[in-house]
Each structure stands twice: as C-alpha cells, then as structure tokens.
Amino acid sequence: MRIKHCISILVAGAALLLAGALPAQTIKIGFMSTYSGPGAAQGDQLDKGVKLYLKLNGDKLPPGVKIELIVRDDTGPNPDNAKRLAQELIVRDKVQFLTGVVWTPNAAAIAPLTAEAKVPFISANAAGVSVPYLSPYFARVSFTLWQSSYPLGQWAAKKFKRVYVAVSDFAPGHEAQEAFIRGFKEGGGEVVGSVRIPLKDPDFVPYIQRVKDSKPDALFAFNPAGRQSTAMMKAYGDLGLDKAGIKYIGPGDITTDEELQGMGDVALGVITAHHYSAAADRPANKAFVAAYKKEYGEKLFPGFMAVGAWDAMDSIFHVIREQKGKIDPDRTMELLKRFTSANSPRGPISIDPDTRDIVQNIYLREVRRTGGQLANVELETIATALKDPWKEFNKKK
Ligand code: PHB
C-alpha cells in the first residue's frame, strides 16, 4: 500500500548527481487526496493534475534536486483520518510541503498541525474561507465559494426575480449559500426558499420537489463537484424543473468539466460562475487540455480540481527554484505570498499576501454543445483579479 502510494520523480539534475557533480537533495511533498469512497472521482482529478505537472515539468528544478511525492488516501471528508495521515507525513516522513486535499473539513483538521510544525500547506482544492486563519503556513491556489457565488448572485439579480437556494450541508455549501444570497439580495432579488442537503448519501428528490412546488425563476445549487452534482442535476431533470422553466444556476462545481458528458442534455443551458473551464480558449489552457488528453485519454476533460493540483505544484516548484532547493518554511511562505502566474490554465492568478488566498478571474459560463460535446462555454469575465469577497467584507482590524 505504502509502496503503491509513494513515487519518486527523478529529474534532470539527477544525471549530474550520479556523475558525482552535485550533492543529493530530495524534497518530500506529502500529497493527500481521496482515492476511495464516494469522493474518489474528485481525488482522481487532483492526482491527475499533480502527476501531469511532475511529468511535464520535472526538468524545471535546480540541478541535483529531486522530488519525492508521498501520496495518501484520506478516504473522503473524514477529518480524523486526514489529521492522522498528516501527522504521520509531518512527523515520520518529514515532508517539507503538504498539498492536495479535496475537502475543507480535512484541511481544517490538518492546518493547526502545519502551524505547529511549520510545514507549508498549499491547498489544491479545499475551499472553506476560514482555513487560512488556522495556520500561517497555509496558502490556497484553488478558490473560495464566495469568489464564484457572490458575483453570480449579483448577475442573477439582473435576470431573475425569485430564486430558490439548495446547497450541501458543509462549510463550502454554507458559504456558497451566504455569498449567493448576499449578491442576489443586494441586487434586489427575492430568495423564496433556502435549504441545506446532507452531504452524506443524499436523496435529492424531496428537496428538488420542494423547489419545483415553490415555482422560482431559478434554482441556485451547490454540491461538491463529482457524482453528487451529477445526481442533483439528474433529479432536476427527472422532476421536470427544466421543462417547468426553472433555470439551473450555481458555481462551476455543479457542471464540472470531467462530469459534464455524463450529465447529458439536461445540463444544456445551465449557467455557472467559475474560475476554470476546460473549453476556455486561452493558449495556456489549450496546451493544458491537450497534454491532459494525451496523458489520460482523448475522451477525458480536466476539471478545476486537476487545475488546482497543477497550480499547487507550480507554486511549489517556484519556491523550490527561488530557494535553490534549500527549503526554509518562513521564506517559502514569503515567496508564496508573492506568487503570481500568467500561465495557469484558468488565466492569470496570484496570492493575496494579506490573506494567503488566491486572486483570480471569474467567468460566467453556459453549458452548450460544441463539436458534439457538452462544454462550459465562457460568456464573459464577471470579475477580474477577484480576491475572496468574504475576507474583503470581514477585514481583520
Ligand atoms: C471543499 O470541501 O472545500 C470542496 C469540495 C468540493 C467542491 C468544492 C469545495 O466542489
């Protein structure tokens, strides 16, 4: 098990190393994802993003530096398990970085350990707004739900009078709910109902029936990307909400690119706000999607979690290069706070030095059929270089 989940990547500098020209330097990165249980599809995205990055960028490290990726399966939103695994990675394996982590509850359990041990922790997905407050060694390259759902609320207020809000009952769901409602109400919209659906083994039908009965103009929904989003979309179609003219809207998690083909035609016309679409025609994204398909299969599309993992590795490679392979946690955090990239598949990104959270564009997208396949087609950039709105509204004095 351990061997299966542990890979070492030898890079260009290793050749010189073998020739005796350089001292050995192995940097250990603890990578936590979800490889089993109902969340395994999300974990697979993180895994694919990290491994693709390492494969294509292995030669971009200082000479003599080698990466050892130590992979662990947190089995899903399971904070106790995640904490135990992180503890082992820190204490026994002595990792110099932690990354991966699909789930906010897991990231919240891990973060205090990273503060104690001074191990930089770069979230490739876990999006809960408050995680950065739990450790000064935490930085995020993914997103917050406020980033997608607040501007979507503002946009929706111009299109719809009455909206029903249905979200998964955990921190990112609560944040999507609060963010959308704030943006929508500020624009004069009326929320006709708002419900939180259990995260574990949900039966969407009764919730969707209630939505239908209240006859809103639109349903704003958030579920974790992956199988749950597909199941919720199916319930929306099966109960005929699309035919009743109730528009389906939400953060991009509800139409994540790797799930989209499986959602079928019911997804056509769904409007989302998000930072990443596999259909975006930016050159960096086209190159990323082509590389992903070449590596994993022509029929597969990368989703935003694969991109989060890619950018997490990109930020780690950046700080390794800047320190010439000699990693100091405080210097790493200073470098992460100033990290920017013009080459992310999602467009330009940076880290806000005050909050250690990602700054990025948010795009309004519509699911359309292009070239015989469903795609999240970007319609416009609804927010440029957006900081986490929650932190902007709740600035620490
Ligand atoms: C999270 O736990 O932070 C999370 C999980 C799935 C998502 C978004 C956020 O789609």
Side-chain angles (χ1 to χ4, degrees):
M1 182 72 172
R2 209 181 133 125
I3 294 177
K4 191 173 136 225
H5 280 320
C6 183
I7 57 166
S8 290
I9 314 278
L10 281 168
V11 296
L16 294 169
L17 211 160
L18 290 175
L22 292 162
Q25 173 85 34
T26 298
I27 295 174
K28 289 184 177 183
I29 302 177
F31 174 71
M32 197 181 293
S33 193
T34 302
Y35 291 92
S36 52
Q42 289 100 319
D44 181 57
Q45 283 289 299
L46 288 193
D47 188 80
K48 284 188 162 64
V50 161
K51 299 215 174 121
L52 185 64
Y53 188 92
L54 288 174
K55 183 164 182 184
L56 300 184
N57 297 282
D59 60 348
K60 297 191 180 83
L61 289 169
V65 173
K66 179 179 103 158
I67 299 286
E68 185 182 343
L69 192 71
I70 305 179
V71 181
R72 292 289 178 267
D73 177 9
D74 64 18
T75 71
N78 183 343
D80 290 341
N81 196 32
K83 191 171 171 185
R84 182 180 54 77
L85 292 172
Q87 186 101 44
E88 280 176 15
L89 284 167
I90 292 169
V91 175
R92 195 182 61 196
D93 299 304
K94 303 199 173 11
V95 296
Q96 285 145 293
F97 294 92
L98 270 174
T99 189
V101 189
V102 172
W103 305 100
T104 290
N106 295 4
I110 294 168
L113 303 178
T114 69
E116 212 175 297
K118 298 193 176 190
V119 175
F121 169 19
I122 296 107
S123 172
N125 189 70
V129 288
S130 57
V131 184
Y133 299 131
L134 302 176
S135 169
Y137 293 89
F138 177 89
R140 175 152 45 212
V141 295
S142 55
F143 58 97
T144 71
L145 271 305
W146 272 85
Q147 279 182 317
S148 50
S149 302
Y150 178 67
L152 184 63
Q154 293 174 311
W155 173 87
K158 294 184 212 130
K159 304 277 170 192
F160 310 112
K161 285 198 173 63
R162 308 170 73 249
V163 171
Y164 200 107
V165 175
V167 298
S168 283
D169 192 5
F170 75 134
H174 304 168
E175 290 160 15
Q177 179 184 39
E178 285 156 21
F180 177 83
I181 291 175
R182 180 158 177 169
F184 188 58
K185 283 192 172 167
E186 278 173 5
E190 183 196 348
V191 177
V192 295
S194 189
V195 68
R196 293 177 174 178
I197 303 172
L199 181 61
K200 199 172 164 342
D201 305 327
D203 172 9
F204 294 113
V205 171
Y207 295 97
I208 298 288
Q209 184 61 50
R210 247 189 278 164
V211 176
K212 189 177 182 189
D213 294 343
S214 58
K215 297 188 174 49
D217 301 320
L219 163 63
F220 170 90
F222 166 80
N223 323 94
R227 304 284 183 267
Q228 281 213 10
S229 291
T230 306
M232 177 103 154
M233 179 84 71
K234 187 173 181 313
Y236 165 85
D238 287 351
L239 292 177
L241 275 73
D242 49 345
K243 298 200 179 56
I246 301 169
K247 194 81 173 166
Y248 200 44
I249 64 173
D253 309 65
I254 65 170
T255 59
T256 183
D257 296 289
E258 79 282 7
E259 284 285 313
L260 198 50
Q261 307 313 321
M263 289 182 177
D265 284 358
V266 65
L268 283 168
V270 172
I271 296 273
T272 53
H274 217 216
H275 58 280
Y276 178 70
S277 163
D281 57 9
R282 283 174 290 282
N285 185 50
K286 282 189 155 171
F288 174 71
V289 174
Y292 190 93
K293 285 176 171 281
K294 184 162 175 244
E295 184 68 14
Y296 300 118
E298 270 310 305
K299 290 206 168 76
L300 296 190
F301 291 89
F304 65 92
M305 292 196 198
V307 173
W310 173 276
D311 286 329
M313 289 314 295
D314 197 41
S315 70
I316 291 174
F317 268 47
H318 169 74
V319 303
I320 292 173
R321 275 194 302 267
E322 288 292 308
Q323 296 176 90
K324 301 192 173 50
K326 300 252 175 301
I327 306 306
D328 170 75
D330 294 308
R331 173 96 180 105
T332 291
M333 293 315 297
E334 285 313 308
L335 287 164
L336 283 174
K337 285 181 196 171
R338 279 182 275 126
F339 177 70
T340 66
S341 171
N343 295 320
S344 169
R346 68 184 102 168
I349 57 171
S350 63
I351 302 288
D352 177 354
D354 296 330
T355 64
R356 289 166 275 111
D357 234 325
I358 184 87
V359 181
Q360 59 192 341
N361 295 345
I362 300 295
Y363 309 98
L364 186 75
R365 307 103 46 85
E366 180 173 26
V367 179
R368 292 183 183 164
R369 190 172 285 289
T370 61
Q373 286 180 312
L374 298 179
N376 285 301
V377 176
E378 289 180 4
L379 306 177
E380 59 176 296
T381 305
I382 51 169
T384 303
L386 184 69
K387 293 182 179 179
D388 172 31
W390 190 88
K391 293 189 184 64
E392 291 296 291
F393 290 133
N394 298 279
K395 276 211 157 116
K396 296 246 145 129
K397 299 274 160 13

